[in-house]
Amino acid sequence: MASSVVGPVVQGQERPARGSTLDIAGAVVLGGCAVWALIASVGRTARPEGVLLAVLAVAAGYACGRIAGSLLPVAATTAAALAGFGLACTALEDLPGQEGVDAAQWTLATGAACCAAWAARPLLLRSALWLLALAIAVTAAVGGGTAGGAASAAVLLCSFTAARLRRRLLGLAGLALLTAVAVGGCWAVAANAVPGGLPPALRAQLTEHRVRLWQDATRIAGDNPVRGAGPDRFTELSPTAMEAPDPRTTPHSAPLQQAAGEGVPGVALLGAAFGWMLYALWRSPRSTPVVLTAAVALTALAIEASLGNALSFPQVTAGAGLLAGLATASRPDHAPAPLP
């Protein structure tokens, strides 16, 4: 991973170096994800290749984002937005197992376009990039489905208001709390622990099939809390998945999939990876609007991954790493970022 610049003296105090701490933390977390997937697979007919590919995609995307963002911050981020826009527009619809990728691609494309707009300095260029972000959000609302349109609109609206929040730490803490609530709610539904029961309207929105998949994942995780049942073994252990027409059915929830496949440590490592990204954004030398916009997009992706299978696609995991890298790259002018 590319290293960040060492922060200069601000108000008589010297900032600690960002790059070494962030890179070491990221290497430890992502390395831990890969190693634990292999440990959970030992002695079983498990297939850790999917987890290893996801880890590699995140690391590669993050490294490319840090490098490209340091050299051409606006151009690289604009290119990422256009690439995501193109992938979202050309994605095939109504294919089994593809439900989660569309909303994720619209989310990341909108986030990248908004980050590019905030990074641009000339008024004309910034206006053009805001129009691009608006075009992506409108296209998502028209042809990207309910989830994709809602996520894109949320990222766009939150990005507009990001300039008013001067302390990024408060915004990042709120986004972390929102993600925790989403994951906790998903787990409560799977464990039948919702007070008063799940409302029928919400159950219909989630679909009975998905709720049963979540319940199967919770049961598998309860039987194997430490190492899980092994990566990519959910289909052969879940009665609901066995009845599905798609032979590669997942729990449609990244935390529950980790719990079923790799136990509690797998869930902890997944949470640590998300926390590391938020920490990297907090220490980023980029402006607060860029940081918070990227954080909103990644939080929306995390919520989508909690309710669907977004992280099962390498283009999504690579795109998440790329956006995080672009939003944490060193600025070409080496200008200091305000402390949160």
Side-chain angles (χ1 to χ4, degrees):
M1 298 179 185
S3 60
S4 301
V5 295
V6 177
V9 176
V10 178
Q11 295 180 352
Q13 296 182 353
E14 185 175 307
R15 295 188 193 181
R18 295 188 181 95
S20 59
T21 302
L22 293 178
D23 291 348
I24 292 173
V28 169
V29 171
L30 295 181
C33 292
V35 170
W36 186 253
L38 295 176
I39 294 175
S41 303
V42 174
R44 300 165 173 175
T45 57
R47 295 168 291 275
E49 295 84 0
V51 177
L52 298 179
L53 178 60
V55 172
L56 179 61
V58 171
Y62 183 75
C64 291
R66 288 280 293 272
I67 296 171
S70 297
L71 299 175
L72 299 168
V74 179
T77 313
T78 302
L82 292 173
F85 189 22
L87 286 173
C89 289
T90 58
L92 298 177
E93 298 180 357
D94 301 326
L95 290 181
Q98 300 286 327
E99 299 87 352
V101 65
D102 293 336
Q105 290 181 153
W106 289 116
T107 300
L108 293 174
T110 306
C114 293
C115 286
W118 282 119
R121 293 181 178 179
L123 180 60
L124 184 60
L125 178 58
R126 174 171 290 191
S127 300
L129 290 172
W130 279 121
L131 288 177
L132 173 63
L134 181 61
I136 295 174
V138 170
T139 307
V142 173
T146 304
S152 293
V155 171
L156 184 61
L157 292 176
C158 290
S159 182
F160 275 132
T161 60
R164 299 185 178 182
L165 190 61
R166 296 183 178 180
R167 301 185 67 84
R168 66 178 65 175
L169 182 59
L170 294 177
L172 293 174
L175 293 173
L177 178 61
L178 180 62
T179 304
V181 169
V183 174
C186 172
W187 207 285
V189 171
N192 289 321
V194 178
L198 189 65
L202 180 56
R203 193 178 190 92
Q205 185 69 27
L206 291 174
T207 72
E208 186 67 27
H209 177 70
R210 181 171 305 188
V211 173
R212 289 171 56 198
L213 288 174
W214 289 0
Q215 292 171 345
D216 287 350
T218 305
R219 175 184 56 79
I220 296 171
D223 294 338
N224 307 272
V226 179
R227 285 207 305 153
D232 203 16
R233 294 192 64 210
F234 178 78
T235 304
E236 62 190 71
L237 298 175
S238 166
T240 305
M242 293 179 185
E243 300 172 358
D246 182 12
R248 304 290 293 176
T249 299
T250 69
H252 284 268
S253 173
L256 292 177
Q257 183 172 351
Q258 284 293 97
E262 301 180 28
V264 175
V267 179
L269 285 168
L270 181 64
F274 181 70
W276 162 66
M277 284 191 175
L278 291 184
Y279 176 74
L281 288 171
W282 176 45
R283 300 302 301 163
S284 171
R286 298 288 176 175
S287 65
T288 296
V290 171
V291 165
L292 292 181
T293 297
V296 167
L298 292 173
T299 298
L301 177 61
I303 294 174
E304 292 164 0
S306 299
L307 304 175
N309 60 344
L311 295 188
S312 298
F313 303 90
Q315 65 267 36
V316 174
T317 51
L322 178 64
L323 181 60
L326 289 168
T328 57
S330 302
R331 297 193 291 183
D333 56 4
H334 300 284
L339 285 172

